[in-house]
PDB file of all heavy atoms in Angstrom:
ATOM      1  N   PHE A  26      -0.043   0.035  -1.373  1.00  0.00           N
ATOM      2  CA  PHE A  26      -0.399   0.353  -2.746  1.00  0.00           C
ATOM      3  C   PHE A  26       0.835   0.278  -3.637  1.00  0.00           C
ATOM      4  O   PHE A  26       1.967   0.307  -3.160  1.00  0.00           O
ATOM      5  CB  PHE A  26      -1.036   1.747  -2.856  1.00  0.00           C
ATOM      6  CG  PHE A  26      -0.143   2.877  -2.453  1.00  0.00           C
ATOM      7  CD1 PHE A  26       0.637   3.533  -3.386  1.00  0.00           C
ATOM      8  CD2 PHE A  26      -0.091   3.298  -1.131  1.00  0.00           C
ATOM      9  CE1 PHE A  26       1.469   4.592  -3.018  1.00  0.00           C
ATOM     10  CE2 PHE A  26       0.729   4.348  -0.745  1.00  0.00           C
ATOM     11  CZ  PHE A  26       1.506   5.002  -1.695  1.00  0.00           C
ATOM     12  N   ALA A  27       0.581   0.157  -4.922  1.00  0.00           N
ATOM     13  CA  ALA A  27       1.643   0.215  -5.916  1.00  0.00           C
ATOM     14  C   ALA A  27       1.450   1.473  -6.741  1.00  0.00           C
ATOM     15  O   ALA A  27       0.322   1.908  -6.973  1.00  0.00           O
ATOM     16  CB  ALA A  27       1.590  -1.008  -6.831  1.00  0.00           C
ATOM     17  N   VAL A  28       2.552   2.042  -7.170  1.00  0.00           N
ATOM     18  CA  VAL A  28       2.516   3.119  -8.157  1.00  0.00           C
ATOM     19  C   VAL A  28       2.882   2.456  -9.478  1.00  0.00           C
ATOM     20  O   VAL A  28       3.976   1.908  -9.613  1.00  0.00           O
ATOM     21  CB  VAL A  28       3.526   4.241  -7.830  1.00  0.00           C
ATOM     22  CG1 VAL A  28       3.470   5.328  -8.894  1.00  0.00           C
ATOM     23  CG2 VAL A  28       3.271   4.821  -6.439  1.00  0.00           C
ATOM     24  N   VAL A  29       1.937   2.439 -10.404  1.00  0.00           N
ATOM     25  CA  VAL A  29       2.197   1.826 -11.702  1.00  0.00           C
ATOM     26  C   VAL A  29       2.387   2.915 -12.745  1.00  0.00           C
ATOM     27  O   VAL A  29       1.732   3.954 -12.706  1.00  0.00           O
ATOM     28  CB  VAL A  29       1.069   0.859 -12.132  1.00  0.00           C
ATOM     29  CG1 VAL A  29       0.985  -0.321 -11.184  1.00  0.00           C
ATOM     30  CG2 VAL A  29      -0.262   1.551 -12.223  1.00  0.00           C
ATOM     31  N   GLN A  30       3.321   2.686 -13.643  1.00  0.00           N
ATOM     32  CA  GLN A  30       3.558   3.608 -14.752  1.00  0.00           C
ATOM     33  C   GLN A  30       3.008   2.979 -16.028  1.00  0.00           C
ATOM     34  O   GLN A  30       3.130   1.769 -16.232  1.00  0.00           O
ATOM     35  CB  GLN A  30       5.048   3.881 -14.932  1.00  0.00           C
ATOM     36  CG  GLN A  30       5.636   4.709 -13.831  1.00  0.00           C
ATOM     37  CD  GLN A  30       7.115   4.945 -14.041  1.00  0.00           C
ATOM     38  OE1 GLN A  30       7.866   4.026 -14.338  1.00  0.00           O
ATOM     39  NE2 GLN A  30       7.545   6.189 -13.861  1.00  0.00           N
ATOM     40  N   GLU A  31       2.410   3.821 -16.859  1.00  0.00           N
ATOM     41  CA  GLU A  31       1.856   3.380 -18.135  1.00  0.00           C
ATOM     42  C   GLU A  31       2.353   4.297 -19.239  1.00  0.00           C
ATOM     43  O   GLU A  31       2.550   5.487 -19.022  1.00  0.00           O
ATOM     44  CB  GLU A  31       0.329   3.448 -18.120  1.00  0.00           C
ATOM     45  CG  GLU A  31      -0.325   2.635 -17.054  1.00  0.00           C
ATOM     46  CD  GLU A  31      -1.822   2.862 -17.011  1.00  0.00           C
ATOM     47  OE1 GLU A  31      -2.324   3.848 -17.603  1.00  0.00           O
ATOM     48  OE2 GLU A  31      -2.514   2.058 -16.373  1.00  0.00           O
ATOM     49  N   CYS A  32       2.529   3.726 -20.418  1.00  0.00           N
ATOM     50  CA  CYS A  32       2.855   4.541 -21.585  1.00  0.00           C
ATOM     51  C   CYS A  32       2.259   3.863 -22.813  1.00  0.00           C
ATOM     52  O   CYS A  32       2.032   2.655 -22.826  1.00  0.00           O
ATOM     53  CB  CYS A  32       4.359   4.733 -21.740  1.00  0.00           C
ATOM     54  SG  CYS A  32       5.261   3.227 -22.099  1.00  0.00           S
ATOM     55  N   GLU A  33       2.004   4.665 -23.813  1.00  0.00           N
ATOM     56  CA  GLU A  33       1.486   4.143 -25.065  1.00  0.00           C
ATOM     57  C   GLU A  33       2.680   3.870 -25.977  1.00  0.00           C
ATOM     58  O   GLU A  33       3.413   4.778 -26.353  1.00  0.00           O
ATOM     59  CB  GLU A  33       0.523   5.143 -25.714  1.00  0.00           C
ATOM     60  CG  GLU A  33      -0.243   4.545 -26.859  1.00  0.00           C
ATOM     61  CD  GLU A  33      -1.380   5.445 -27.310  1.00  0.00           C
ATOM     62  OE1 GLU A  33      -1.256   6.674 -27.185  1.00  0.00           O
ATOM     63  OE2 GLU A  33      -2.379   4.911 -27.785  1.00  0.00           O
ATOM     64  N   VAL A  34       2.899   2.589 -26.290  1.00  0.00           N
ATOM     65  CA  VAL A  34       4.058   2.234 -27.110  1.00  0.00           C
ATOM     66  C   VAL A  34       3.774   2.427 -28.592  1.00  0.00           C
ATOM     67  O   VAL A  34       4.692   2.655 -29.376  1.00  0.00           O
ATOM     68  CB  VAL A  34       4.534   0.793 -26.834  1.00  0.00           C
ATOM     69  CG1 VAL A  34       5.134   0.702 -25.453  1.00  0.00           C
ATOM     70  CG2 VAL A  34       3.425  -0.219 -27.003  1.00  0.00           C
ATOM     71  N   ARG A  35       2.509   2.337 -28.962  1.00  0.00           N
ATOM     72  CA  ARG A  35       2.045   2.712 -30.296  1.00  0.00           C
ATOM     73  C   ARG A  35       0.545   2.925 -30.175  1.00  0.00           C
ATOM     74  O   ARG A  35      -0.066   2.497 -29.201  1.00  0.00           O
ATOM     75  CB  ARG A  35       2.426   1.695 -31.356  1.00  0.00           C
ATOM     76  CG  ARG A  35       1.832   0.340 -31.224  1.00  0.00           C
ATOM     77  CD  ARG A  35       2.282  -0.534 -32.415  1.00  0.00           C
ATOM     78  NE  ARG A  35       1.558  -1.771 -32.399  1.00  0.00           N
ATOM     79  CZ  ARG A  35       2.094  -2.940 -32.066  1.00  0.00           C
ATOM     80  NH1 ARG A  35       3.376  -3.014 -31.754  1.00  0.00           N
ATOM     81  NH2 ARG A  35       1.359  -4.017 -32.053  1.00  0.00           N
ATOM     82  N   PRO A  36      -0.065   3.571 -31.114  1.00  0.00           N
ATOM     83  CA  PRO A  36      -1.494   3.886 -30.985  1.00  0.00           C
ATOM     84  C   PRO A  36      -2.335   2.653 -30.641  1.00  0.00           C
ATOM     85  O   PRO A  36      -2.278   1.633 -31.329  1.00  0.00           O
ATOM     86  CB  PRO A  36      -1.861   4.446 -32.358  1.00  0.00           C
ATOM     87  CG  PRO A  36      -0.582   5.035 -32.868  1.00  0.00           C
ATOM     88  CD  PRO A  36       0.500   4.118 -32.360  1.00  0.00           C
ATOM     89  N   GLY A  37      -3.020   2.770 -29.518  1.00  0.00           N
ATOM     90  CA  GLY A  37      -3.900   1.695 -29.079  1.00  0.00           C
ATOM     91  C   GLY A  37      -3.231   0.591 -28.291  1.00  0.00           C
ATOM     92  O   GLY A  37      -3.895  -0.338 -27.845  1.00  0.00           O
TER      93      GLY A  37
END
Side-chain angles (χ1 to χ4, degrees):
F26 63 92
V28 179
V29 296
Q30 290 179 313
E31 302 174 345
C32 66
E33 191 169 30
V34 291
R35 64 178 189 252

